[in-house]
Amino acid sequence: MRFQLAKTGTPKAEIYASLWRAALSDSTGLAPYLMQKSVDGDKPVFKDLGKDHDKAEGGQIKGINQLRLNEDAYLDAIGKNDAFKTLGKNAEARALALKTDATAQALHQLDKALNRFYVGQDADYFIHKDLRGFLTREKDRFIKNVVFSTLEALLDRRADAATLIIARAFNAVAGRIIEFLDATETFQRNLYTLKKKVIDTHWLISVGKIPAAYWPRLLQNQRLLAYFESEFKQAVATVEDLQRLPTLVVDTSLFSTEPERALIDEMLSDPAFDHLDEQTDGLLIHSENWQALNLLQDKFRERIKCIYIDPPYNTGGDGFLYKDSFRHSSWASMMADRLALAKPLLDSHDVLFASIDDKERLTLERLLGDTFGTENRVEELIWAQNSTKNQSPTYSNNHEYVEVFARSLARVRAAPNMFREVKPGYADVTELLEKLNPNYPSIAEIQSAMNSLYEAHRIAFKAELEESGIEYEKNLDAWKGTYPYCNAEYRDAKGNLVEVNQAREAQARIWLWMSADASMPKGGGTDNKKGVHTPGDPDYRFYKPLHSITNKPCPHPKRGWGFPEKPMGLSTSLEEMMAAQRLIWGGTEKAVPRAKKFLHEVDTQVGKSVINDFSDGEKELTAITDQQRSFPNPKPTSLISRFVEQTTEPAEWVMDFFAGSGTTGHAVMGLDSKRKFVLSEMGGYFDTVTKPRIARVMFSSHWKLGAPGAANRQRLIVKVQRLEQYEDVIANLDTAWDEAAMPEGVPVRYLFRPEENRVRLALDLSRPFTNMICVGKARDATPLDLMETWALLQGYWQRSRRVVLEGGKRYLCLETVCGCLVVLRDITEPEDDSAVLNAIAARYTHDNGSLRIHRLEVNHWADLRRVTLPCALMAATDFDRGATWN
């Protein structure tokens, strides 16, 4: 019997019956062992994979639990069959008797073996980095500790001593085996570390980013119109519809025919898409994350400003597959390899956030310390959640951890804005003031509007807490620090106070303020400074200012003033505060004056190590997809937005290489000021959850029951790429030698040399657009995207992408920001197209007519004598990066 992967599985009952016939030439009487009674009639007793076997539920891949059937459950199920009535009066007695039934035991053992085969074929695996060294050390240890285990054996130096003969024989045989295993593992390691190629590139583009001249032809694609309807609930038929919906997303993967692909080529060649990488707001990669990180090294080295990851927690219910005895070490190895590749992508003053629970918290902290250095540990954040685990035998654990490490803690501490976040509610307050300001309302009207905004937030927050079963408390309200800013006044561009009746003429702005203590901080260094307590000293802080109306001395704060009386070149002084009308005087001189603290001057606050965020990431995702449990335990965007805002500036890159449902991308796009994101995810839900979520949030930030609310204002571009995987390389590799064809005396170290050469020389650079590879379990033939692969291998940032048609030939041209032009075309040596190459290069000029291009890189062949600019030829081996072939 032959086992192979197929689109539809064979039921176990059929497999076991076939095996029985093959082994014993008869399967008569086997049915009672394979079937069980149910209300719907007989059904198989052994568990088969369901249609959703590769989906996750509750954090675990369904296929694992769908297969398992313990012995007692199996015997109980078949014991109810009439065929076994003679074994006992009831099902329990019959099940006990079946424990000694040879057929039942054989079938159950067979089922366990098949399940192990499935899990082994579907599980993650690890390739040893130094198998020869490890096995050699183990061999030497065995000889020393086992073969020479006694003092007599160790001291017997006779040439014919049995122990010495055994040791020499074992060493020779084991050494030969180790040499073979090392050759095999080294070959596998090189295939794994070989930088993989891009097999698909397409874009998600907001309609408003596409020149209107292309809209009529886009509307001819019926798949695109159906996509608008299914994904965004928008019926689109005319150009006017597109004009009304500029954030509607065009998925260029829907353009698959030759004319459709030509349209996308033409569109992306338009000057509107010049500086394409600069315009791109996100990169979405479908790949195993180590392979993605490996390929991104040259392009994104020291360009990522913030990394957030939410790795599998290794709880046994998160889909991370491993052998039980290697559970902990496999998880640690997986994380260590990926953190090592992530570190070079961060600049010296950038940080990584990693969510984790208590199970692997200490392991993760140690791994981060090993990677970044323990001296670069920033903090361990505690995220308090709204969850109660009533089944817990001790305490209900309702928090998780976020480990924070910097590339250089010293550089991070020197950055003034790091770990500061926008004060909660500030954006809403600013939006309201922007609406009020043009009408120049009275102070009373402004303050009434502010109180209404604050009260509306309180009501909404209370309702949110009640829905989660939490009683409202002031300290839970993130806006509690914003509520005191309920006083208003008008000030001009220079900060001078303006009366209400003069505000319009002065084009004054509304400033919100709160009454603040003007005293010296508690326990600060100022209190110990020389002169603070000395009358007459310029830095004296216990002076008594004259009241603005009564002109009588006012008392000073008990701790003294927070500023000197007269200017000293410090941040401020009493005289400057009075001149700027920033002091609040009491009704009489008996009250201690206070200071006005303006909201826009304290719009940010330092982040806290304990985060009370009760947002529900699952509800957030369900609102977009209208599907319950489409992804297990997604994080809320509010948590990740907090980290991104604390550590990045607009237009900087954020990365998540355990992207999951795409929460990090959603969080980045939801910020008021645009950042960019790189997400990597390998799961099958990439096409059903991750990518659709990104596309939907590009269109609208507000979704409910799978329907969009108001459309976004931002128009975005997201690049989507798929990479070949290690399994694809293995599956596409033809072995050179079998037992019959292998020459005599080939050294073990050369055992895989033919395969190595086939991998290194597999590309046909004379036909760069038709190099095919079979990918995935379905073995679909897919063309490699050599242009995008080359750009990543070289670390190129794209300035423009053009497709030029000359003499019936397609020239794909990628202009880099460093002045290099990469050209791919079909070419056969000694064909000479140097005139075309020169003409294409001459088109890339600055406004003053000077060339933007300084060098060319072209595939396979060109007559370099006739090419005007310096030119390099790309060969198949130039794509061979990452492996260390012997």
Side-chain angles (χ1 to χ4, degrees):
M1 177 170 288
R2 183 164 175 251
F3 291 93
Q4 62 184 29
L5 292 171
K7 292 185 177 180
T8 58
T10 305
K12 285 181 178 179
E14 292 183 25
I15 293 174
Y16 298 163
S18 297
L19 284 172
W20 217 255
R21 283 193 298 271
L24 303 176
S25 302
D26 184 18
S27 61
T28 307
L30 202 62
Y33 293 93
L34 300 176
M35 309 301 288
Q36 63 179 326
K37 289 185 174 181
S38 72
V39 293
D40 300 321
D42 289 348
K43 68 176 185 178
V45 65
F46 290 110
K47 297 183 177 181
D48 289 303
L49 290 175
K51 293 180 179 179
D52 58 349
H53 68 276
D54 58 343
K55 302 296 188 297
E57 183 177 76
Q60 185 169 4
I61 301 300
K62 290 183 176 182
I64 305 305
N65 280 333
Q66 286 180 343
L67 290 173
R68 290 173 179 151
L69 179 66
N70 65 47
E71 182 183 8
D72 290 340
Y74 169 60
L75 297 179
D76 285 343
I78 64 173
K80 297 174 183 177
N81 290 332
D82 293 341
F84 300 115
K85 279 185 177 182
T86 58
L87 297 180
K89 294 181 179 179
N90 52 45
E92 184 178 352
R94 293 195 289 270
L96 185 62
L98 285 167
K99 280 184 175 290
T100 59
D101 186 288
T103 301
Q105 292 300 315
L107 285 170
H108 187 258
Q109 289 301 315
L110 179 62
D111 188 62
K112 288 172 65 176
L114 187 62
N115 290 345
R116 280 196 299 271
F117 170 79
Y118 166 75
V119 174
Q121 295 299 310
D122 203 51
D124 289 330
Y125 48 84
F126 299 89
I127 297 172
H128 206 290
K129 297 176 182 177
D130 182 24
L131 186 65
R132 175 187 286 270
F134 169 72
L135 291 179
T136 300
R137 290 190 297 273
E138 290 298 301
K139 178 200 70 175
D140 294 346
R141 183 191 62 78
F142 182 84
I143 292 173
K144 293 173 184 177
N145 297 341
V146 178
V147 178
F148 291 106
S149 59
T150 64
L151 183 61
E152 290 79 4
L154 187 62
L155 295 177
D156 189 351
R157 311 305 296 168
R158 292 175 302 162
D160 61 347
T163 303
L164 189 58
I165 294 173
I166 292 171
R168 286 172 176 167
F170 179 84
N171 185 62
V173 173
R176 186 68 171 165
I177 293 172
I178 290 172
E179 188 179 3
F180 169 74
L181 293 176
D182 175 61
T184 305
E185 196 75 357
T186 299
F187 179 61
Q188 289 189 86
R189 185 180 69 242
N190 280 324
L191 293 182
Y192 188 81
T193 59
L194 182 70
K195 293 194 175 186
K196 302 305 182 287
K197 299 171 186 65
V198 180
I199 58 175
D200 174 53
T201 301
H202 61 274
W203 283 265
L204 303 175
I205 309 176
S206 296
V207 165
K209 296 284 270 186
I210 301 172
Y214 298 99
W215 292 1
R217 284 188 284 171
L218 292 177
L219 290 174
Q220 294 174 14
N221 188 321
Q222 295 302 312
R223 293 186 301 280
L224 181 64
L225 302 186
Y227 175 72
F228 290 157
E229 179 70 37
S230 63
E231 293 298 314
F232 313 110
K233 306 300 184 283
Q234 303 296 321
V236 175
T238 66
V239 168
E240 288 72 26
D241 292 332
L242 293 180
Q243 193 169 14
R244 177 174 52 85
L245 300 166
T247 61
L248 205 59
V249 177
V250 173
D251 183 346
T252 65
S253 70
L254 300 173
F255 293 74
S256 55
T257 67
E258 196 63 39
E260 290 172 343
R261 287 197 295 268
L263 170 60
I264 299 302
D265 279 343
E266 180 186 346
M267 186 178 79
L268 293 176
S269 298
D270 193 281
F273 290 99
D274 281 357
H275 304 283
L276 185 57
D277 272 350
E278 185 179 328
Q279 289 193 63
T280 298
D281 301 285
L283 174 60
L284 197 55
I285 302 176
H286 190 193
S287 168
E288 191 274 325
N289 53 11
W290 192 93
Q291 301 295 347
L293 289 168
N294 193 33
L295 187 57
L296 295 178
Q297 290 295 304
D298 292 284
K299 182 165 184 174
F300 282 93
R301 186 175 299 275
E302 297 186 355
R303 287 181 177 268
I304 302 297
K305 296 298 178 181
C306 169
I307 294 177
Y308 171 81
I309 55 173
D310 181 20
Y313 285 3
N314 198 18
T315 59
D318 52 20
F320 179 71
L321 307 183
Y322 41 72
K323 295 180 180 179
D324 290 341
S325 57
F326 293 112
R327 168 188 294 184
H328 178 78
S329 60
S330 293
W331 186 90
S333 176
M334 181 273 296
M335 289 300 301
D337 290 344
R338 283 143 187 81
L339 291 174
L341 284 178
K343 181 183 176 181
L345 304 182
L346 290 171
D347 201 354
S348 59
H349 58 278
D350 302 324
V351 293
L352 178 144
F353 297 85
S355 285
I356 198 68
D357 68 357
D358 57 344
K359 180 174 178 59
E360 292 287 4
R361 166 193 164 209
L362 296 178
T363 302
L364 179 60
E365 184 178 353
R366 178 179 58 78
L367 292 171
L368 288 166
D370 290 344
T371 304
F372 292 93
T374 54
E375 70 279 7
N376 292 315
R377 180 180 182 272
V378 178
E379 184 58 87
E380 179 180 74
L381 307 180
I382 296 176
W383 171 39
Q385 306 163 266
N386 173 37
S387 61
T388 301
K389 300 173 182 176
N390 291 322
Q391 303 305 316
S392 174
T394 54
Y395 290 96
S396 173
N397 188 332
N398 67 336
H399 68 276
E400 291 183 8
Y401 303 92
V402 181
E403 303 297 335
V404 188
F405 274 73
R407 183 80 186 266
S408 168
L409 184 57
R411 294 287 300 274
V412 165
R413 284 175 170 166
N417 295 324
M418 285 293 283
F419 302 114
R420 299 195 66 85
E421 59 191 24
V422 175
K423 186 182 286 290
Y426 178 77
D428 298 75
V429 170
T430 302
E431 184 178 358
L432 175 59
L433 295 183
E434 290 295 329
K435 291 179 181 178
L436 293 174
N437 216 123
N439 299 320
Y440 295 96
S442 67
I443 299 300
E445 289 173 320
I446 297 171
Q447 293 179 172
S448 175
M450 290 308 307
N451 290 333
S452 297
L453 173 66
Y454 291 154
E455 185 58 27
H457 171 75
R458 283 194 191 93
I459 293 172
F461 183 61
K462 286 180 180 178
E464 182 181 333
L465 291 180
E466 287 175 5
E467 185 179 350
S468 300
I470 303 173
E471 188 175 346
Y472 175 79
E473 295 179 20
K474 288 183 179 180
N475 66 328
L476 296 178
D477 194 339
W479 283 33
K480 60 181 181 293
T482 306
Y483 291 145
Y485 292 90
C486 54
N487 305 291
E489 59 188 36
Y490 285 99
R491 290 189 177 251
D492 63 19
K494 295 182 179 180
N496 299 317
L497 186 66
V498 176
E499 296 298 326
V500 176
N501 56 5
Q502 300 173 349
R504 189 182 296 275
E505 182 181 351
Q507 295 184 326
R509 308 292 298 174
I510 302 170
W511 288 25
L512 289 185
W513 57 271
M514 65 172 282
S515 174
D517 185 3
S519 63
M520 198 158 42
K522 270 185 182 180
T526 307
D527 188 48
N528 300 319
K529 285 176 63 178
K530 183 180 178 181
V532 168
H533 298 278
T534 307
D537 191 283
D539 206 17
Y540 182 56
R541 300 298 178 92
F542 292 88
Y543 52 84
K544 296 183 177 182
L546 299 179
H547 192 275
S548 62
I549 298 177
T550 67
N551 208 34
K552 293 180 180 181
C554 296
H556 56 69
K558 289 182 179 180
R559 296 195 303 272
W561 297 98
F563 35 79
E565 186 173 12
K566 297 183 180 298
M568 290 179 60
L570 301 173
S571 57
T572 190
S573 66
L574 176 73
E575 287 187 359
E576 291 168 318
M577 295 279 284
M578 290 175 62
Q581 295 178 283
R582 284 174 168 254
L583 286 180
I584 307 167
W585 301 93
T588 69
E589 69 278 0
K590 294 181 180 181
V592 177
R594 294 175 65 81
K596 292 180 180 178
K597 189 174 181 181
F598 292 98
L599 178 60
H600 68 277
E601 294 176 344
V602 289
D603 57 341
T604 63
Q605 63 186 25
V606 67
K608 297 180 180 179
S609 61
V610 178
I611 304 168
N612 292 305
D613 188 335
F614 303 134
S615 304
D616 191 327
E618 187 170 322
K619 287 183 179 179
E620 195 172 34
L621 180 57
T622 300
I624 298 172
T625 63
D626 196 27
Q627 295 179 8
Q628 296 285 341
R629 300 184 178 277
S630 57
F631 184 83
N633 306 315
K635 293 292 186 289
T637 56
S638 54
L639 179 71
I640 302 171
S641 298
R642 181 189 305 264
F643 302 147
V644 173
E645 284 192 304
Q646 288 176 0
T647 56
T648 65
E649 298 293 336
E652 293 182 338
W653 287 90
V654 178
M655 172 177 270
D656 182 350
F657 50 88
F658 287 98
S661 67
T663 304
T664 298
H666 183 172
V668 169
M669 289 190 291
L671 297 175
D672 292 329
S673 50
K674 286 202 304 185
R675 275 81 164 169
K676 300 168 182 273
F677 63 84
V678 179
L679 304 184
S680 173
E681 177 53 53
M682 69 177 292
Y685 42 79
F686 180 91
D687 289 312
T688 57
V689 178
T690 314
K691 179 185 166 185
R693 180 181 192 176
I694 295 299
R696 292 185 181 195
V697 175
M698 287 175 66
F699 175 61
S700 173
S701 299
H702 309 285
W703 290 78
K704 186 175 182 180
L705 299 176
N712 287 335
R713 289 172 293 182
Q714 296 180 349
R715 303 169 188 188
L716 307 172
I717 299 177
V718 172
K719 178 187 280 190
V720 185
Q721 293 190 315
R722 302 178 195 274
L723 308 184
E724 68 172 341
Q725 299 300 296
Y726 168 74
E727 296 84 356
D728 298 327
V729 176
I730 291 289
N732 283 270
L733 186 62
D734 293 326
T735 55
W737 292 331
D738 56 22
E739 188 176 356
M742 185 173 177
E744 288 287 337
V746 174
V748 172
R749 64 180 180 274
Y750 295 136
L751 190 61
F752 296 100
R753 184 59 57 85
E755 284 81 2
E756 291 177 11
N757 291 334
R758 289 185 181 185
V759 171
R760 301 183 68 191
L761 303 173
L763 296 179
D764 178 7
L765 266 293
S766 69
R767 297 294 181 267
F769 308 117
T770 54
N771 284 265
M772 308 298 288
I773 184 173
C774 295
V775 298
K777 292 182 178 180
R779 317 306 307 139
D780 295 322
T782 305
L784 296 171
D785 189 337
L786 295 186
M787 179 63 86
E788 288 293 332
T789 302
W790 184 253
L792 288 169
L793 290 174
Q794 295 290 91
Y796 287 152
W797 288 83
Q798 300 180 27
R799 176 165 179 165
S800 68
R801 182 186 185 277
R802 301 273 192 275
V803 172
V804 178
L805 299 177
E806 288 287 345
K809 184 181 292 188
R810 178 174 180 259
Y811 288 78
L812 176 59
C813 309
L814 186 147
E815 179 193 8
T816 73
V817 297
C818 61
C820 175
L821 182 66
V822 184
V823 181
L824 297 183
R825 78 281 194 232
D826 289 343
I827 188 75
T828 302
E829 188 177 354
E831 180 184 355
D832 180 17
D833 65 346
S834 56
V836 176
L837 294 175
N838 292 333
I840 290 174
R843 300 179 185 182
Y844 293 85
T845 58
H846 294 290
D847 292 339
N848 62 5
S850 62
L851 274 178
R852 296 201 307 254
I853 302 303
H854 307 300
R855 65 188 299 266
L856 292 174
E857 291 176 351
V858 302
N859 61 296
H860 187 60
W861 157 258
D863 190 338
L864 301 183
R865 298 168 300 176
R866 300 184 180 185
V867 178
T868 306
L869 292 173
C871 182
L873 299 180
M874 289 182 275
T877 52
D878 293 324
F879 288 80
D880 178 21
R881 313 274 179 95
T884 52
W885 308 107
N886 294 326

